[in-house]
Every structure is written in C-alpha cells, then in structure tokens.
Short mmCIF file of all heavy atoms in Angstrom, two decimals:
data_model
loop_
_atom_site.label_atom_id
_atom_site.label_comp_id
_atom_site.label_asym_id
_atom_site.label_seq_id
_atom_site.Cartn_x
_atom_site.Cartn_y
_atom_site.Cartn_z
N GLY N 464 -55.91 -58.22 25.62
CA GLY N 464 -56.63 -57.95 26.86
C GLY N 464 -55.71 -57.58 28.01
O GLY N 464 -54.49 -57.51 27.87
N THR N 465 -56.33 -57.34 29.16
CA THR N 465 -55.58 -56.91 30.33
C THR N 465 -55.08 -58.07 31.19
O THR N 465 -54.45 -57.85 32.21
CB THR N 465 -56.44 -55.98 31.20
OG1 THR N 465 -57.63 -56.69 31.57
CG2 THR N 465 -56.80 -54.70 30.46
N LEU N 466 -55.35 -59.31 30.79
CA LEU N 466 -54.88 -60.46 31.54
C LEU N 466 -53.52 -60.96 31.07
O LEU N 466 -52.92 -61.82 31.70
CB LEU N 466 -55.89 -61.60 31.48
CG LEU N 466 -57.12 -61.41 32.34
CD1 LEU N 466 -58.11 -62.54 32.12
CD2 LEU N 466 -56.75 -61.29 33.80
N SER N 467 -53.02 -60.43 29.96
CA SER N 467 -51.71 -60.87 29.48
C SER N 467 -50.61 -60.29 30.36
O SER N 467 -50.78 -59.24 30.97
CB SER N 467 -51.51 -60.46 28.01
OG SER N 467 -51.58 -59.06 27.90
N CYS N 468 -49.50 -60.98 30.42
CA CYS N 468 -48.38 -60.54 31.24
C CYS N 468 -47.62 -59.40 30.56
O CYS N 468 -47.46 -59.40 29.34
CB CYS N 468 -47.40 -61.69 31.47
SG CYS N 468 -48.12 -63.09 32.32
N VAL N 469 -47.16 -58.44 31.37
CA VAL N 469 -46.26 -57.41 30.86
C VAL N 469 -44.92 -58.09 30.66
O VAL N 469 -44.41 -58.77 31.55
CB VAL N 469 -46.15 -56.23 31.85
CG1 VAL N 469 -45.12 -55.22 31.39
CG2 VAL N 469 -47.50 -55.57 32.06
N GLU N 470 -44.33 -57.93 29.47
CA GLU N 470 -43.08 -58.65 29.19
C GLU N 470 -42.14 -57.82 28.32
O GLU N 470 -42.46 -56.69 27.94
CB GLU N 470 -43.39 -59.99 28.51
CG GLU N 470 -44.23 -59.87 27.27
CD GLU N 470 -44.70 -61.23 26.77
OE1 GLU N 470 -44.88 -62.16 27.56
OE2 GLU N 470 -44.86 -61.35 25.55
N LYS N 471 -41.00 -58.40 28.03
CA LYS N 471 -39.98 -57.77 27.20
C LYS N 471 -40.60 -57.27 25.89
O LYS N 471 -41.36 -57.99 25.24
CB LYS N 471 -38.87 -58.77 26.90
CG LYS N 471 -37.76 -58.24 26.06
CD LYS N 471 -36.71 -59.31 25.83
CE LYS N 471 -35.59 -58.76 24.97
NZ LYS N 471 -34.52 -59.72 24.80
N GLY N 472 -40.28 -56.02 25.54
CA GLY N 472 -40.79 -55.43 24.31
C GLY N 472 -42.04 -54.59 24.52
O GLY N 472 -42.40 -53.80 23.65
N ASP N 473 -42.73 -54.76 25.65
CA ASP N 473 -43.89 -53.92 25.96
C ASP N 473 -43.39 -52.53 26.36
O ASP N 473 -42.19 -52.32 26.55
CB ASP N 473 -44.72 -54.54 27.08
CG ASP N 473 -45.40 -55.83 26.65
OD1 ASP N 473 -45.49 -56.08 25.43
OD2 ASP N 473 -45.82 -56.59 27.54
N SER N 474 -44.32 -51.60 26.54
CA SER N 474 -43.93 -50.21 26.83
C SER N 474 -44.66 -49.66 28.04
O SER N 474 -45.80 -50.02 28.31
CB SER N 474 -44.25 -49.31 25.64
OG SER N 474 -43.57 -49.72 24.49
N VAL N 475 -43.97 -48.78 28.74
CA VAL N 475 -44.57 -47.95 29.79
C VAL N 475 -44.80 -46.60 29.15
O VAL N 475 -43.89 -46.01 28.57
CB VAL N 475 -43.64 -47.83 31.02
CG1 VAL N 475 -44.21 -46.85 32.03
CG2 VAL N 475 -43.43 -49.19 31.66
N LEU N 476 -46.04 -46.09 29.23
CA LEU N 476 -46.41 -44.84 28.59
C LEU N 476 -46.59 -43.75 29.63
O LEU N 476 -47.17 -43.97 30.68
CB LEU N 476 -47.72 -45.02 27.82
CG LEU N 476 -47.78 -46.20 26.85
CD1 LEU N 476 -49.19 -46.36 26.32
CD2 LEU N 476 -46.81 -45.97 25.71
N GLN N 477 -46.09 -42.57 29.30
CA GLN N 477 -46.30 -41.40 30.15
C GLN N 477 -46.69 -40.23 29.26
O GLN N 477 -46.24 -40.13 28.12
CB GLN N 477 -45.05 -41.10 30.97
CG GLN N 477 -43.77 -41.02 30.16
CD GLN N 477 -42.57 -40.83 31.04
OE1 GLN N 477 -42.64 -40.18 32.06
NE2 GLN N 477 -41.45 -41.38 30.63
N ASN N 478 -47.54 -39.39 29.76
CA ASN N 478 -48.02 -38.27 28.98
C ASN N 478 -47.30 -37.01 29.44
O ASN N 478 -47.59 -36.49 30.52
CB ASN N 478 -49.54 -38.13 29.13
CG ASN N 478 -50.13 -37.26 28.06
OD1 ASN N 478 -49.45 -36.86 27.12
ND2 ASN N 478 -51.41 -36.96 28.20
N ASP N 479 -46.35 -36.52 28.64
CA ASP N 479 -45.61 -35.32 28.96
C ASP N 479 -46.28 -34.10 28.35
O ASP N 479 -47.13 -34.22 27.47
CB ASP N 479 -44.18 -35.41 28.40
CG ASP N 479 -43.24 -36.14 29.33
OD1 ASP N 479 -43.50 -36.14 30.54
OD2 ASP N 479 -42.25 -36.71 28.85
N VAL N 480 -45.85 -32.92 28.77
CA VAL N 480 -46.35 -31.66 28.23
C VAL N 480 -46.05 -31.58 26.73
O VAL N 480 -46.86 -31.11 25.94
CB VAL N 480 -45.73 -30.47 28.98
CG1 VAL N 480 -46.17 -29.15 28.39
CG2 VAL N 480 -46.07 -30.54 30.45
N VAL N 481 -44.88 -32.07 26.34
CA VAL N 481 -44.48 -32.01 24.93
C VAL N 481 -45.08 -33.13 24.10
O VAL N 481 -44.94 -33.14 22.89
CB VAL N 481 -42.93 -32.01 24.79
CG1 VAL N 481 -42.34 -30.76 25.37
CG2 VAL N 481 -42.34 -33.24 25.43
N GLY N 482 -45.74 -34.06 24.73
CA GLY N 482 -46.36 -35.16 24.00
C GLY N 482 -46.14 -36.47 24.71
O GLY N 482 -45.46 -36.54 25.73
N PRO N 483 -46.71 -37.54 24.19
CA PRO N 483 -46.56 -38.84 24.83
C PRO N 483 -45.12 -39.35 24.73
O PRO N 483 -44.41 -39.04 23.78
CB PRO N 483 -47.53 -39.74 24.08
CG PRO N 483 -47.76 -39.05 22.78
CD PRO N 483 -47.55 -37.59 23.00
N ASN N 484 -44.73 -40.10 25.71
CA ASN N 484 -43.39 -40.66 25.77
C ASN N 484 -43.54 -42.13 26.17
O ASN N 484 -44.35 -42.45 27.02
CB ASN N 484 -42.55 -39.90 26.80
CG ASN N 484 -41.12 -40.34 26.83
OD1 ASN N 484 -40.63 -40.99 25.92
ND2 ASN N 484 -40.43 -39.99 27.89
N SER N 485 -42.78 -43.00 25.56
CA SER N 485 -42.84 -44.41 25.95
C SER N 485 -41.45 -44.93 26.24
O SER N 485 -40.47 -44.49 25.66
CB SER N 485 -43.52 -45.25 24.86
OG SER N 485 -42.73 -45.29 23.71
N CYS N 486 -41.41 -45.87 27.15
CA CYS N 486 -40.16 -46.51 27.55
C CYS N 486 -40.31 -48.01 27.29
O CYS N 486 -41.23 -48.64 27.83
CB CYS N 486 -39.88 -46.26 29.02
SG CYS N 486 -39.87 -44.51 29.46
N ILE N 487 -39.42 -48.57 26.52
CA ILE N 487 -39.51 -49.98 26.15
C ILE N 487 -38.89 -50.84 27.25
O ILE N 487 -37.79 -50.58 27.73
CB ILE N 487 -38.82 -50.23 24.80
CG1 ILE N 487 -39.53 -49.39 23.72
CG2 ILE N 487 -38.86 -51.70 24.43
CD1 ILE N 487 -38.85 -49.39 22.39
N ILE N 488 -39.61 -51.89 27.61
CA ILE N 488 -39.19 -52.79 28.69
C ILE N 488 -38.21 -53.82 28.14
O ILE N 488 -38.48 -54.50 27.16
CB ILE N 488 -40.41 -53.49 29.30
CG1 ILE N 488 -41.34 -52.45 29.93
CG2 ILE N 488 -39.99 -54.53 30.32
CD1 ILE N 488 -42.68 -52.99 30.35
N GLN N 489 -37.04 -53.90 28.79
CA GLN N 489 -36.02 -54.86 28.41
C GLN N 489 -36.25 -56.20 29.12
O GLN N 489 -36.04 -57.26 28.55
CB GLN N 489 -34.64 -54.32 28.76
CG GLN N 489 -33.51 -55.26 28.42
CD GLN N 489 -32.17 -54.68 28.83
OE1 GLN N 489 -32.07 -53.95 29.80
NE2 GLN N 489 -31.14 -55.01 28.07
N SER N 490 -36.66 -56.13 30.40
CA SER N 490 -36.90 -57.36 31.16
C SER N 490 -37.84 -57.08 32.33
O SER N 490 -37.98 -55.95 32.78
CB SER N 490 -35.59 -57.95 31.67
OG SER N 490 -34.98 -57.07 32.59
N VAL N 491 -38.47 -58.15 32.81
CA VAL N 491 -39.35 -58.09 33.98
C VAL N 491 -38.85 -59.14 34.96
O VAL N 491 -38.62 -60.29 34.59
CB VAL N 491 -40.82 -58.38 33.60
CG1 VAL N 491 -41.71 -58.35 34.83
CG2 VAL N 491 -41.32 -57.41 32.55
N GLU N 492 -38.66 -58.75 36.20
CA GLU N 492 -38.21 -59.67 37.24
C GLU N 492 -38.89 -59.32 38.55
O GLU N 492 -39.50 -58.26 38.67
CB GLU N 492 -36.68 -59.62 37.38
CG GLU N 492 -36.15 -58.25 37.78
CD GLU N 492 -34.63 -58.18 37.81
OE1 GLU N 492 -34.00 -59.15 38.26
OE2 GLU N 492 -34.10 -57.16 37.39
N TYR N 493 -38.82 -60.21 39.51
CA TYR N 493 -39.35 -59.91 40.84
C TYR N 493 -38.40 -58.94 41.54
O TYR N 493 -37.18 -59.04 41.41
CB TYR N 493 -39.50 -61.17 41.68
CG TYR N 493 -40.61 -62.08 41.21
CD1 TYR N 493 -40.33 -63.30 40.65
CD2 TYR N 493 -41.94 -61.68 41.33
CE1 TYR N 493 -41.35 -64.14 40.22
CE2 TYR N 493 -42.96 -62.51 40.89
CZ TYR N 493 -42.66 -63.74 40.34
OH TYR N 493 -43.67 -64.56 39.92
N GLN N 494 -38.96 -58.02 42.29
CA GLN N 494 -38.16 -57.11 43.11
C GLN N 494 -37.80 -57.84 44.39
O GLN N 494 -38.67 -58.26 45.14
CB GLN N 494 -38.95 -55.82 43.41
CG GLN N 494 -38.19 -54.82 44.24
CD GLN N 494 -37.06 -54.14 43.50
OE1 GLN N 494 -36.95 -54.24 42.29
NE2 GLN N 494 -36.20 -53.46 44.22
N THR N 495 -36.52 -58.02 44.64
CA THR N 495 -36.03 -58.79 45.79
C THR N 495 -35.43 -57.85 46.83
O THR N 495 -35.12 -56.70 46.54
CB THR N 495 -34.96 -59.79 45.34
OG1 THR N 495 -33.85 -59.05 44.81
CG2 THR N 495 -35.50 -60.76 44.29
N PRO N 496 -35.24 -58.33 48.06
CA PRO N 496 -34.58 -57.51 49.07
C PRO N 496 -33.17 -57.06 48.65
O PRO N 496 -32.74 -55.96 48.98
CB PRO N 496 -34.52 -58.43 50.30
CG PRO N 496 -35.69 -59.34 50.12
CD PRO N 496 -35.78 -59.57 48.63
N ALA N 497 -32.46 -57.89 47.89
CA ALA N 497 -31.13 -57.50 47.41
C ALA N 497 -31.23 -56.31 46.45
O ALA N 497 -30.41 -55.39 46.51
CB ALA N 497 -30.45 -58.68 46.72
N LEU N 498 -32.24 -56.32 45.59
CA LEU N 498 -32.45 -55.19 44.68
C LEU N 498 -32.88 -53.94 45.45
O LEU N 498 -32.48 -52.83 45.12
CB LEU N 498 -33.48 -55.53 43.61
CG LEU N 498 -33.03 -56.53 42.55
CD1 LEU N 498 -34.21 -56.95 41.68
CD2 LEU N 498 -31.92 -55.94 41.70
N ASP N 499 -33.69 -54.13 46.51
CA ASP N 499 -34.08 -53.00 47.37
C ASP N 499 -32.84 -52.35 47.98
O ASP N 499 -32.71 -51.13 48.00
CB ASP N 499 -35.01 -53.45 48.49
CG ASP N 499 -36.41 -53.76 48.02
OD1 ASP N 499 -36.85 -53.19 47.00
OD2 ASP N 499 -37.08 -54.58 48.68
N LYS N 500 -31.93 -53.18 48.49
CA LYS N 500 -30.71 -52.67 49.11
C LYS N 500 -29.87 -51.92 48.08
O LYS N 500 -29.35 -50.84 48.37
CB LYS N 500 -29.91 -53.83 49.71
CG LYS N 500 -28.68 -53.39 50.45
CD LYS N 500 -27.95 -54.57 51.07
CE LYS N 500 -26.69 -54.07 51.74
NZ LYS N 500 -25.85 -55.15 52.20
#
C-alpha cells in the first residue's frame, strides 16, 4: 500500500523517451540546513 515508508532498496521511477528508468534508493534521511548549504 501507499502507507509504507520509502526505504533503502525502493526505486524512483521516471518515464523517459527511450523507456522507463529507475533509480535505486541507497538511503533515506531528513534534509537538514547543513545539507541545504
């Protein structure tokens, strides 16, 4: 379902002209001001 957390091993999918492309997630963390900088 859609209530599960996105986590390591999940994928971000994008639909390119040449076909679908996926990027595998290595880690999920909070975006902090230090990361923004």
Side-chain angles (χ1 to χ4, degrees):
T465 58
L466 285 176
S467 60
C468 299
V469 174
E470 55 189 30
K471 180 180 179 176
D473 292 344
S474 300
V475 174
L476 308 172
Q477 51 185 326
N478 196 7
D479 275 334
V480 177
V481 294
N484 185 16
S485 67
C486 305
I487 299 172
I488 298 170
Q489 179 182 32
S490 64
V491 179
E492 61 185 320
Y493 290 111
Q494 180 71 13
T495 63
L498 289 171
D499 286 333
K500 184 178 177 187

